[in-house]
Amino acid sequence: FFDDARDGKYGNCEPVSSLGVLSVHCPSGIYEEKIWSNALEHYKTWSLHKTPNTIIEWDLSITSKKVVDPNERLSGEVTFVNREKRFGFI
C-alpha cells in the first residue's frame, strides 16, 4: 500500500499497516524508481513474517510500531471534568 499521508486526519499508512498490510509512506508520490524497487525488496523479507504495523518510510528506513495488547490496562489522571456537557480530559 502506497500513500502520501502517513498519519493524522488524512493519513492512511498507519491504519492500513495496523491491518497487517505493508505500507509505504511516499509524501511526494512515487517519483523515483528506487521507492518502488525498495518496497518490493522489503516486501520479500516482510512477507515471510508479515509483521503488522510495518511502514517503509520515505527515506527508505523501516518503522514497526509495537502491537498494543487490547487487554493491557492503561492508567491516567483526570485533569478536567465538565459534568454539564458530560465530558472530561485524562
Side-chain angles (χ1 to χ4, degrees):
F1 175 79
F2 293 80
D3 198 7
D4 63 343
R6 187 181 192 288
D7 54 8
K9 184 175 180 180
Y10 300 107
N12 291 315
C13 287
E14 286 190 7
V16 171
S17 70
S18 72
L19 298 173
V21 176
L22 181 64
S23 296
V24 181
H25 178 221
C26 41
S28 299
I30 305 173
Y31 62 94
E32 291 182 353
E33 185 178 335
K34 73 176 184 177
I35 295 171
W36 176 259
S37 58
N38 182 55
L40 291 178
E41 286 299 315
H42 283 298
Y43 179 79
K44 288 178 189 176
T45 307
W46 177 86
S47 65
L48 299 174
H49 306 289
K50 296 188 178 177
T51 308
N53 296 311
T54 301
I55 300 173
I56 300 173
E57 302 294 350
W58 63 271
D59 62 357
L60 308 181
S61 64
I62 297 178
T63 302
S64 294
K65 291 177 59 176
K66 176 186 168 194
V67 178
V68 178
D69 179 5
N71 298 317
E72 181 181 351
R73 187 175 187 126
L74 303 174
S75 63
E77 182 179 322
V78 176
T79 59
F80 175 78
V81 175
N82 185 325
R83 295 191 190 285
E84 182 180 314
K85 294 186 179 180
R86 302 181 71 183
F87 77 92
F89 294 101
I90 299 177

